[in-house]
Amino acid sequence: MPQEVSPLQAAMMEPFGLAVHASLEGSGVSGLNVLISGCGPIGLMNVAAAKALGASKVIATDVHPLRLSAAAQLGADVCIDATDESVHDTVCSLLGERGVDVAIDYSGQAAALTATIKSITHGGELRLMGVPSHGISLNLEEWLFKGLVVRGLHGRRLFETWERSTSLLATGRVDLSSLVSHRLPLTATEDAFEMAISGQSLKILFEPNGSCV
């Protein structure tokens, strides 16, 4: 890694690569309105990546206030609490009935996907990153009549994704350090997983040697 990328940020390159890959696929994000559904660590990284790669507007949705606050800090133009607001209605109030050009789903939840699909413009793109924990039912008729392009994404491209990810961090266009909510020793592994599952954390880093610059 270049010297401009701190060990703290370098430790997050693997998940950041997923977010950059999702931003670069298909028609990319430059000049487009992008909806990011699900603001876990990688979704939050995607907020930052999409802004740095030239998205016109980035709209972030989640149900955890901590994550929505982090999304705003990372550059989201609008943050929607899906427990209190209709995602589709809010998107329409911002962009009109046309909706977003690209939606990237990290939630893997049927309700979130349904709201997301309604919010995409005709001929727009849905990029699937979240993995459902069980089988879900979706109305394919809406996908069909909207002419959506649906991309299932996993991993990243070698070497393009790594090069772009490294460049974003090295030039300071993306700073992931604010995502690190906890830095813990390996002895706190169980506590870390409990915090992550309960939504009390953003990104947790372990420090095996007791320090991470």
Side-chain angles (χ1 to χ4, degrees):
M1 298 299 293
Q3 291 185 346
E4 293 83 0
V5 180
S6 70
L8 186 79
Q9 296 203 81
M12 295 183 277
M13 275 289 289
E14 192 275 337
F16 183 54
L18 296 173
V20 173
H21 177 46
S23 298
L24 294 175
E25 275 297 285
S27 55
V29 295
S30 180
L32 303 178
N33 295 314
V34 179
L35 172 65
I36 296 174
S37 176
C39 291
I42 304 177
L44 289 170
M45 292 177 183
N46 207 150
V47 169
K51 289 299 291 186
L53 292 168
S56 178
K57 283 191 183 302
V58 174
I59 302 168
T61 74
D62 204 279
V63 296
H64 293 286
L66 178 64
R67 292 176 175 181
L68 291 170
S69 175
Q73 185 176 353
L74 287 165
D77 297 284
V78 177
C79 297
I80 302 173
D81 185 338
T83 58
D84 296 330
E85 303 175 64
S86 162
V87 173
H88 177 249
D89 290 349
T90 304
V91 168
C92 286
S93 70
L94 293 167
L95 303 173
E97 291 296 326
R98 185 177 187 279
V100 296
D101 304 295
V102 174
I104 307 173
D105 180 78
Y106 286 92
S107 72
Q109 300 295 316
L113 278 167
T114 298
T116 297
I117 292 164
K118 287 182 178 179
S119 304
I120 306 174
T121 189
H122 287 261
E125 286 187 38
L126 172 63
R127 303 175 193 169
L128 300 173
M129 295 291 287
V131 179
S133 58
H134 51 78
I136 58 177
S137 298
L138 295 169
N139 179 11
L140 294 181
E141 183 177 294
E142 192 160 22
W143 301 37
L144 174 65
F145 287 114
K146 275 195 168 185
L148 298 184
V149 175
V150 182
R151 300 179 184 274
L153 303 179
H154 181 69
R156 61 211 58 76
R157 293 186 182 277
L158 299 176
F159 294 90
E160 178 189 6
T161 305
W162 294 127
E163 292 169 349
R164 295 294 293 273
S165 300
T166 301
S167 175
L168 290 173
L169 296 177
T171 58
R173 293 169 65 191
V174 171
D175 183 353
L176 299 176
S177 58
S178 66
L179 265 178
V180 182
S181 57
H182 298 80
R183 296 165 64 170
L184 302 173
L186 282 174
T187 53
T189 300
E190 291 186 9
D191 293 337
F193 275 98
E194 288 179 7
M195 286 190 289
I197 292 169
S198 64
Q200 300 176 48
S201 64
L202 295 174
K203 185 65 176 171
I204 300 173
L205 290 188
F206 291 111
E207 301 181 339
N209 299 318
S211 65
C212 179
V213 178

